[in-house]
Amino acid sequence: MSRADYFSRRHLRVFLGLVPLVLGLLAAILGVRASESEAATPSNGYTNILFDNGDGHDLFTNYDFQSVPGTTDNASMPIGLIFFNNAEVDKLKQIFFGAYGVGPPYASENHAYVQDAPGGALYDADHGMKTGIGACYGDVYHYRLYADGDDRMYDVDWGYFVVGTTHIDRNEICQPSYGHSEYAEGKLARYWFERGYRHANDAINFSNYEPYRIDGNHVWNNDGWATAFCVPAGRLMDDDSGGVFGCNEWDGSIR
Amino acid sequence: MVTAFRVAGWTWPLTALLLVHAAVVPPVADSLERIPQRPGFTSLRKLGLDGAITFDRRFGTQATKYRLPAGARQGQKAWFTIKVDVRAHFREGTRGTYLLSGSTNGRTAAQIKFTVTPRRIITETLGLISGRDRQVADGRVVHATLANYLQRAGVKGGSNELMFALEAIEGPAPQVIEVRPSSGVGVTTVPPDELRLGAPAGPVVGEVGHEVKVPFRLERRGGRPDVPVTVQLETSSPELVARGETAIYFESVEEGRSGSFSVIPAESGRYAIKLAVARQYNEPQASTAVVAGSRRRELNLTAVGLLGAGVLLMGAWFITARRRRSRTDMTRGGEE
């Protein structure tokens, strides 16, 4: 490689490295922050019902909310994601970081009620992570994860589990709309699959079906069935053991 | 073709002999430790591991195998549990977040989270036996223990695998993490829900500004030691103020304990209430609600209603009396 080539490549690398910084600075100067969707009411007229996984110990709301407490008037998105077996909020955010790398202040906070035995019960808050900074035109995908105080819940059927919502922020700066949860769920599942992990579409019914409709700046669209993501143990490490990770034999069902 | 037939014919008696032998003579026992489906505990030492399972400046997985009776299922005749005793040592200046997992057949039943800063280590455990625990320790070495029920999918008849995995959410590899030989797999007849906490199914109705009592009932199955417990109250709104204690301590539960918390609603409305037993066994919780109304307003409405009715009655009486009087006057006038 000639000296000139070396310098031009080096300049390119420096330039590419500076791009996110410059964009971030511009965004900060222009005051581009996460805007919030308007409060909306789901089609079934209630949102604060609790999903019980069957043993009566673990409960969570099947929507998240813009404020606390959750009511029929401040619902945000339907819960459509369940990560089970070896889930933990920070671990999942690390796995998704490659595509969903933008957090606060560009991602706004929502809340969901979760109750775990053992573990506690509370309205958990999460800004979640997005695929980019909101622009005048275009789609940005956004997910939020909920668990109790120590970022996971436990159950003999689901192991360590976390629930979540996802949606699309469309034209966020100029003419924003928020929703399309079903499409956003598919995007997240595709990323998961491409990383070599296993999931099952429409694995469990969370009773939050939302036919397509526009409600203020909300675009409801959810089939009511959540995607289940099997989280293996030890996949974040530099593995050289070739061990069993736990999801290889999973049959795709989740009660 | 003929040669092949001859060879097959020649080997046929030998094959038959081998088949008969296999049917009559029991198979040679494998070297896996058998865990019977009755109460007890099988440590890693018993499972054939003499020393601790060690992750020495590296991430990875380590596994051992054991055998369960044919047809074994979680919670059918007995419940299978896991116990993990860990000693973690992090280097000076390390900063990171780590997960140590214990899984059977790939299904995780123990997850210990270490959050390490240069000055201290936060250890968080969560299990149905040991409850939720968070320990903050200064220094570079911590010990942690977690006991939990295995996942249903983590139990099967025949050969099972117990695996430990260390991974980093962020940060360099720890100096050393040891899963001690006292860790292992247990069997118990005690179901996971040792403690049960009950609260009124419907809302408790009260008045604004007045004390409202929220009763509860705590029971235990009795499968595990009767330990001291604390029932805690949590309200959803600052408008619902606890009067008196927000935690009630019981030295023991025995067969059951009843009690109540007092709250005062500052404004009318519906308030969610959570009761919980923290840090013991399955940490049961119960939710209920307080609905508060304003009796003063109700009284005023009643008073206004009564007053209105009184006025109407008086008006009716007055009109009736006046008519009677005018009729009497007319009669008297006619007579005159």
Side-chain angles (χ1 to χ4, degrees), chain A residues 15-250:
Chain A
F15 174 74
L16 288 175
L18 283 174
V19 165
L21 185 67
V22 171
L23 283 175
L25 278 171
L26 270 174
I29 291 162
L30 294 170
V32 179
R33 296 173 66 85
S35 55
E36 289 184 13
S37 62
E38 293 166 3
T41 305
S43 63
N44 53 22
Y46 53 76
T47 58
N48 54 351
I49 73 161
L50 297 169
F51 182 83
D52 179 350
N53 73 341
D55 66 2
H57 302 302
D58 306 303
L59 305 168
F60 48 87
T61 48
N62 55 354
Y63 290 80
D64 67 3
F65 305 94
Q66 289 172 347
S67 55
V68 171
T71 68
T72 51
D73 302 323
N74 63 351
S76 184
M77 298 294 159
I79 299 281
L81 315 170
I82 176 163
F83 299 88
F84 71 99
N85 187 42
N86 195 305
E88 196 273 341
V89 168
D90 294 330
K91 173 177 174 173
L92 294 170
K93 287 186 175 175
Q94 187 65 26
I95 290 174
F96 284 116
F97 192 78
Y100 295 76
V102 176
Y106 306 107
S108 64
E109 187 179 75
N110 270 0
H111 313 263
Y113 183 81
V114 292
Q115 176 176 308
D116 178 36
L122 49 82
Y123 272 100
D124 189 31
D126 190 30
H127 291 89
M129 299 293 282
K130 299 166 73 163
T131 53
I133 298 169
C136 193
Y137 296 103
D139 290 349
V140 170
Y141 291 77
H142 187 181
Y143 75 81
R144 298 185 179 100
L145 302 177
Y146 301 101
D148 68 339
D150 62 353
D151 281 349
R152 61 210 163 154
M153 301 180 271
Y154 185 78
D155 177 82
V156 292
D157 287 308
W158 296 346
Y160 290 92
F161 72 97
V162 166
V163 295
T165 64
T166 184
H167 64 278
I168 298 172
D169 298 335
R170 179 161 291 170
N171 307 335
E172 195 168 18
I173 306 302
C174 297
Q175 194 180 5
S177 70
Y178 305 89
H180 299 284
S181 303
E182 199 57 40
Y183 296 109
E185 203 177 304
K187 164 99 173 174
L188 206 77
R190 271 196 303 282
Y191 180 79
W192 184 260
F193 176 75
E194 285 162 6
R195 294 290 306 270
Y197 303 120
R198 297 194 60 204
H199 71 281
N201 292 318
D202 301 341
I204 186 163
N205 189 344
F206 281 168
S207 303
N208 49 14
Y209 168 65
E210 295 294 345
Y212 177 84
R213 72 191 193 286
I214 295 168
D215 179 10
N217 67 8
H218 243 76
V219 183
W220 290 107
N221 178 28
N222 189 51
D223 68 2
W225 289 80
T227 301
F229 301 79
C230 188
V231 186
R235 274 307 272 269
L236 289 176
M237 66 204 174
D238 301 323
D239 176 60
D240 55 358
S241 64
V244 175
F245 295 109
C247 298
N248 299 343
E249 295 174 13
W250 176 46

Side-chain angles (χ1 to χ4, degrees), chain B residues 76-93:
Chain B
Q76 197 173 40
K77 290 178 185 168
W79 290 86
F80 293 88
T81 61
I82 189 171
K83 181 183 157 201
V84 182
D85 282 330
V86 177
R87 176 181 168 274
H89 181 192
F90 297 90
R91 275 173 285 194
E92 290 295 328

